[in-house]
Amino acid sequence: MKQGLSLRVSQHLALTPQLQQSIRLLQLSTLELAQEVEQMLDENPFLEPNPDEPSRAEVEAAAAAETALREHEREIEFPHDSGAAGDDSFGEADPLPAADAEAPGWEGDGSTEMVADDGEWGGGDGAPRPAGGASDDEVEATDLASSDETLQSHLHRQAASLRLCDEDRCVLDFLIDSLNDDGYLEEPLEALAAELAGTDLEQQEELVHRFTVALRLLQNLDPAGVGARSLAECLSLQLQAVDDAGCPARRAALKIVAQPMELLARRDVRRLAQLCGESEAHLKAAIGLIVRLEPKPGRRFGNVERNIVVPDVLVTKVGRGGQARFRVQLNPDVMPRLRVHDVYATALRTHRGEGHQALQQRLQEARWFIKNIQQRFDTILRVATAIVERQKNFFVHGELAMRPLVLREIADELGLHESTISRVTTAKYMATPYGTFELKYFFGSALGTETGGNASSTAVRALIRQFIAAENLKKPLSDSQISDMLKEQGIECARRTVAKYREALRIAPASLRKAL
């Protein structure tokens, strides 16, 4: 084999640390981004919050621009505002590349225009704040969530009022701490005793006795049903707490929960009548009483903070009637307001000594971080603007007017990769006049219609929900009947597809929706 030298020109994409950080920040949710910002502020001395408020000139300029916009409104649905994102509050951050710099003022194909107001990149503390409270007097949603009483603390407070000896109090506190989030005691008493006593059988028997007495005390605390070891026991405890002890429905309900739960789930009234020895009329009233009980007593003490949704994008309606349009803007309460520390940066430029190279790298990391955060919000704004343009019928008429949309359409329109659109639309939320939705909500597959067009799966699910809401509870609609009703609307949707959509909406089948 003859050896030789040759030249070859090729291109490849290298995932630099800056690009890796940009991708990682793009897929973070709002709360995760807040944690990332706090961590970076603690680690990087060149990064600091920007507490400066907008100057009076900037406020007057913004008011003048808003006045000019109102005076020159054009009679189209979605006017465009060139509100480009200023980067003064980002300190010494490098300017974005040309493709990114155009993000806030992106325009569509000319047929419709959007108002893209991306707020301001300055002022405030370094971590994002939940929407809805700039005043100190207002209580933040996160503060309310974190201040909620837990199930264990609620039970400990009640147990403290009981007159118990030290041993019984310790046993009761141990059982309370052993409850799960739903208020159930999952482990058997014998297993708990063996865990504490080890191999000492005599001590195990004594602990089981104490646990049994403490469990009875626990099950008499509020909320009713707490300390149960099964669903049947939880329902039984709540029924025993009903004031009217002579109620026939209560008596029949206690007999029902003593039977296998599968019969109650299927509402097999005939089989339950045979096992319980009660009339069907009493059983139907008893089932009505059972469905009003709480199967998870600890539900109301759950961690509310995990259910908080802070929108990243705000869509507001401006104008009325034919002049109505929608303004798309970033939520200013979730945007980190950062800048490079001027004093440290100036000192680094004028003094070159030991460790200068490492400090220069930290300064560059701070600039990269600020730039990547700005690029993250610019990309979110571009994607949200494109979604509102494509789904403008939803913002006018509601979810029944949703059109089919896939990630590739937005990716091709914005010149981005489909995976980038997927990262942007995951765990990012948009506040609309109809509620707050995840950006992925606006994407849906297409179902064929008789006219040859397409209907969005989201609109079909909304139509199914509307059909079921208007049904006769004594004769609920089956999946086949809903499929036939959709065909009458010109939408081809098979029964199995209806069942899949119904399960996604968390709607029970017709047999369980039937009113007794």
Side-chain angles (χ1 to χ4, degrees), residues 3 66 71 118 147 193 273 341 465 514:
Q3 296 182 351
E66 180 67 20
E71 292 177 353
D118 58 350
S147 63
H341 202 298
R465 187 190 300 112
K514 185 176 181 180

Side-chain angles (χ1 to χ4, degrees), residues 195-349:
E195 181 182 349
L196 294 178
T199 58
D200 191 343
L201 298 180
E202 183 177 354
Q203 189 176 4
Q204 285 186 21
E205 292 180 359
E206 182 182 357
L207 282 176
V208 169
H209 174 70
R210 288 185 178 274
F211 278 148
T212 303
V213 176
L215 182 60
R216 293 175 183 174
L217 294 175
L218 174 60
Q219 292 178 347
N220 284 293
L221 299 180
D222 178 74
V226 70
R229 289 158 290 184
S230 64
L231 176 60
E233 185 179 11
C234 178
L235 299 177
S236 178
L237 291 172
Q238 295 182 58
L239 290 171
Q240 293 173 10
V242 175
D243 295 335
D244 192 358
C247 176
R250 175 183 176 273
R251 183 180 65 250
L254 287 172
K255 294 181 180 180
I256 290 176
V257 298
Q259 306 302 326
M261 287 289 100
E262 292 78 8
L263 299 177
L264 178 61
R266 296 198 305 265
R267 297 191 180 184
D268 193 345
V269 179
R270 293 183 180 180
R271 179 61 177 166
L272 288 173
Q274 296 174 359
L275 295 175
C276 299
E278 296 283 346
S279 64
E280 292 190 5
H282 285 172
L283 291 179
K284 291 179 180 179
I287 293 177
L289 177 62
I290 292 174
V291 297
R292 293 195 294 270
L293 301 179
E294 175 56 73
K296 298 180 180 180
R299 189 202 306 267
R300 65 186 176 96
F301 297 94
N303 186 5
V304 184
E305 188 171 358
R306 64 188 175 187
N307 298 323
I308 294 177
V309 174
V310 181
D312 300 86
V313 182
L314 307 177
V315 179
T316 55
K317 188 175 182 180
V318 181
R320 297 180 179 178
Q323 300 294 332
R325 52 194 178 87
F326 294 90
R327 177 182 296 275
V328 183
Q329 60 182 358
L330 294 172
N331 185 358
D333 291 329
V334 303
M335 294 191 301
R337 306 182 182 188
L338 308 172
R339 68 182 178 187
V340 173
H341 202 298
D342 294 335
V343 176
Y344 291 168
T346 303
L348 183 62
R349 285 196 299 265

